[in-house]
Amino acid sequence: MASRPSRPVTGRPGVVARHTRAGRRTPLIVIGVVALAVAGIAGLRLVPGAPLAAAGEQPTDQQDTDQQPSWRQPASTPTAGLSESPTPEPDPTLSPLAVAPTTVRLAGIDGWWSWAMLDQRTGEIHGSANLAETSTTASLIKAWIAADYLRTSAEAGRSPSDFRMRQLEIMIRDSDNQVAEELWQEIGRTAATERMIRICGLTDSHSSTENRWSTTRLSPRDVARIGACIVDGRAAGAEWTDWLLTEMRSVRSPGDFGVIEAFPADEADEIAIKNGWVIRDNEQEWHVNCLAIGDGWTIGVMTRFPVDRPYTYGAKICREVAQQLRAAATASAGS
């Protein structure tokens, strides 16, 4: 995909200049490695998706494994992903969206999955029958950590330093865990979660019992609500909303997967995302989650599945949900 110049800031909320994702799926080519120290090699092996990762290793954005908590997930059986409400008739007074609610069916899924779509024009939420069930967020919650830090800083009359802004950038674009942990402590840990629930009007979610960001529990319905909360300015505030959306439109590999893969490259470049992917050692499960914010819509998809599958198994579920919602919009437009 050829690089395109950044668009100018527009007057529409949440529509901002951005960095293109040109080449985001281009394979990494290692041109030459000369006399690497053993310590350097070991360091590279710890980077998610690094070229020197051990054979069979999979990228993960989890917090330190020696602090990995134990938790009990709610009893649940895999769902067929039926819509919680009938597919509505399109309103001719509203501009059509790139996605539309429908009954999503995914065959043969090994694990649990759930999805929700929020129409920003009306506030209506549609999704799977289990859209209110919760799971752990992993790094998806970093979008809120950034938003809460920026909004509370502005409310206190503080301007983040250039160094701090760089930290925020790598936390969103590269899913940096060390920065997330530092900011999580600074914004009050579970107090930040309680603000998220109150400000964004969440109904299903709650703080982690271990007081850790990666084990915050959200539902797909509340993930979609957080997306709306970000794009309308409640989350990060008027001063920082455009900046945060720009960063979320600039997420880099290995975190740029899922919903955006259902769209052509030019449309995907305009979609803000934050994904999470983590191995829960005690349960021997992957938790892979997707948040996407488009023009007039937000989507939340959450998955859990056996650890012997690749994390891309969850990314595929996110993509296939979005593909069916896109197909429903296309069919509606053509009818």
Side-chain angles (χ1 to χ4, degrees):
M1 180 180 68
S3 298
R4 296 180 295 108
S6 297
R7 298 184 298 109
V9 176
T10 75
R12 290 189 297 154
V15 181
V16 298
R18 53 151 303 133
H19 299 281
T20 181
R21 283 197 185 93
R24 67 176 173 223
R25 296 185 181 87
T26 302
L28 177 62
I29 302 174
V30 180
I31 298 175
V33 180
V34 181
L36 281 174
V38 173
I41 296 173
L44 284 172
R45 287 168 57 87
L46 298 177
V47 179
L52 296 183
E57 259 182 42
Q58 301 186 54
T60 174
D61 66 352
Q62 67 191 60
Q63 289 174 274
D64 293 339
T65 53
D66 63 349
Q67 299 178 12
Q68 190 67 29
S70 174
W71 59 276
R72 184 180 298 278
Q73 69 184 46
S76 178
T77 55
T79 174
L82 301 178
S83 176
E84 83 168 340
S85 58
T87 301
E89 291 296 323
D91 186 338
T93 65
L94 297 175
S95 300
L97 301 179
V99 293
T102 189
T103 298
V104 174
R105 299 185 184 276
L106 303 180
I109 298 300
D110 183 12
W112 174 92
W113 61 283
S114 180
W115 69 274
M117 169 194 159
L118 185 148
D119 186 330
Q120 296 172 22
R121 306 165 306 175
T122 64
E124 293 179 347
I125 300 176
H126 304 271
S128 54
N130 59 351
L131 85 177
E133 290 187 28
T134 66
S135 192
T136 66
T137 64
S139 281
L140 185 149
I141 198 66
K142 290 171 182 172
W144 173 257
I145 292 175
D148 194 57
Y149 172 82
L150 291 167
R151 189 197 67 262
T152 54
S153 294
E155 290 170 350
R158 297 191 303 268
S159 296
S161 66
D162 290 345
F163 174 74
R164 179 66 88 198
M165 295 306 297
R166 173 59 179 158
Q167 285 187 309
L168 289 163
E169 177 185 307
I170 65 172
M171 183 179 73
I172 297 298
R173 296 191 187 192
D174 303 316
S175 210
D176 187 279
N177 288 333
Q178 183 174 344
V179 173
E181 185 63 30
E182 182 178 335
L183 291 172
W184 175 246
Q185 300 294 331
E186 186 167 334
I187 62 180
R189 302 189 293 178
T190 56
T193 309
E194 296 307 313
R195 286 192 294 272
M196 176 182 68
I197 292 170
R198 173 176 52 82
I199 291 171
C200 298
L202 310 187
T203 58
D204 313 316
S205 305
H206 57 84
S207 301
S208 160
T209 56
E210 299 87 9
N211 201 8
R212 303 179 70 225
W213 53 264
S214 75
T215 54
T216 302
R217 297 192 69 91
L218 296 180
S219 67
R221 174 165 62 182
D222 281 350
V223 170
R225 286 169 171 155
I226 290 171
C229 189
I230 290 172
V231 78
D232 69 18
R234 284 174 291 158
E239 182 177 353
W240 292 108
T241 292
D242 285 355
W243 182 91
L244 179 57
L245 285 165
T246 297
E247 296 307 306
M248 293 175 68
R249 291 185 179 109
S250 304
V251 170
R252 295 181 281 236
S253 179
D256 58 340
F257 59 77
V259 171
I260 56 169
E261 296 177 306
F263 293 82
D266 58 338
E267 293 182 40
D269 281 342
E270 306 305 318
I271 297 172
I273 64 169
K274 190 70 192 83
N275 298 321
W277 62 108
V278 63
I279 293 175
R280 296 297 179 205
D281 293 325
N282 293 318
E283 290 72 37
Q284 286 297 285
E285 285 183 333
W286 277 102
H287 289 202
V288 177
N289 310 307
C290 301
L291 163 64
I293 304 170
D295 185 5
W297 55 267
T298 65
I299 291 174
V301 185
M302 305 189 81
T303 74
R304 297 193 297 263
F305 51 91
V307 73
D308 59 355
R309 292 187 177 272
Y311 85 107
T312 52
Y313 188 79
K316 181 173 181 285
I317 293 174
C318 293
R319 181 180 72 246
E320 291 186 353
V321 167
Q323 286 172 336
Q324 294 190 35
L325 300 183
R326 281 197 71 223
T330 300
S332 177
S335 62

